[in-house]
Amino acid sequence: MMIPVQAIMVAQFKLVAGLGIFGTYWGVILPGAAAAFGIFLSRQFFIGIPDEIVEAARIDGAGHVRIFLQVVLPLCKPLIAVLVLLTLLGSWNDFGWPLIALKDNDLFTLPIGMLYLKNQTAPDYNSIMALALISVLPMVVLFLAFQRYFVHGFARTGLK
């Protein structure tokens, strides 16, 4: 988590190019989905799940897959909501990686589009401000929709 994103961009680029998803939205989304913070947060959340619940399911005859799918996963709704929201927020506002990973102007993200609007010979600041509002609104709506899970997920993480 202490390594800056710029230090691993070459490796990410090689991975995305090797998978054949360079120049697509998947090339922007997938590298952000496996961030170190998400793994750390998930580990802390799973440690906080009481062992008694898992042991009770095991005594009832459930296997590892059934314990995970029917016992642990329903308890992880706050965790999943937090990870989706934080990953989406980080990817939505990212400027550097989409600029590298996307080659078609039609696929550029909103921060890159705002840069192109600003760099015109006569920038239209009204359009830039409208685009900034449009870029913020989905994140505000998502946060308001998942606020209950978001607060609960951070509150429970790391508690035993």
Side-chain angles (χ1 to χ4, degrees):
M1 287 181 2
M2 292 174 40
I3 299 172
V5 176
Q6 294 80 5
I8 61 171
M9 276 190 177
V10 173
Q12 274 186 347
F13 181 80
K14 284 183 158 185
L15 179 68
V16 166
L19 290 174
I21 56 175
F22 175 72
T24 65
Y25 284 130
W26 287 110
V28 175
I29 294 169
L30 288 181
F37 176 73
I39 295 169
F40 174 74
L41 189 67
S42 299
R43 179 191 177 278
Q44 292 302 109
F45 191 88
F46 286 133
I47 287 173
I49 294 175
D51 293 332
E52 292 81 14
I53 296 174
V54 176
E55 289 174 11
R58 190 168 289 125
I59 289 172
D60 287 341
H64 294 295
V65 175
R66 186 170 182 192
I67 290 172
F68 180 73
L69 292 176
Q70 293 183 348
V71 176
V72 176
L73 200 58
L75 294 173
C76 294
K77 287 180 185 175
L79 169 70
I80 294 168
V82 167
L83 287 178
V84 165
L85 193 63
L86 290 178
T87 303
L88 186 63
L89 180 65
S91 297
W92 185 263
N93 290 327
D94 194 11
F95 179 80
W97 179 245
L99 187 63
I100 292 171
L102 298 174
K103 55 186 172 188
D104 188 13
N105 290 349
D106 295 335
L107 296 177
F108 281 164
T109 58
L110 287 175
I112 299 170
M114 286 193 301
L115 175 75
Y116 282 122
L117 279 177
K118 182 182 153 277
N119 286 340
Q120 293 177 351
T121 54
D124 182 15
Y125 290 108
N126 293 333
S127 298
I128 294 172
M129 289 299 138
L131 192 57
L133 178 66
I134 290 171
S135 71
V136 169
L137 278 179
M139 291 299 110
V140 171
V141 169
L142 277 176
F143 178 76
L144 292 176
F146 291 111
Q147 181 179 9
R148 174 174 55 121
Y149 294 115
F150 189 73
V151 173
H152 185 68
F154 267 125
R156 279 208 57 213
T157 302
L159 296 178
K160 185 73 177 168

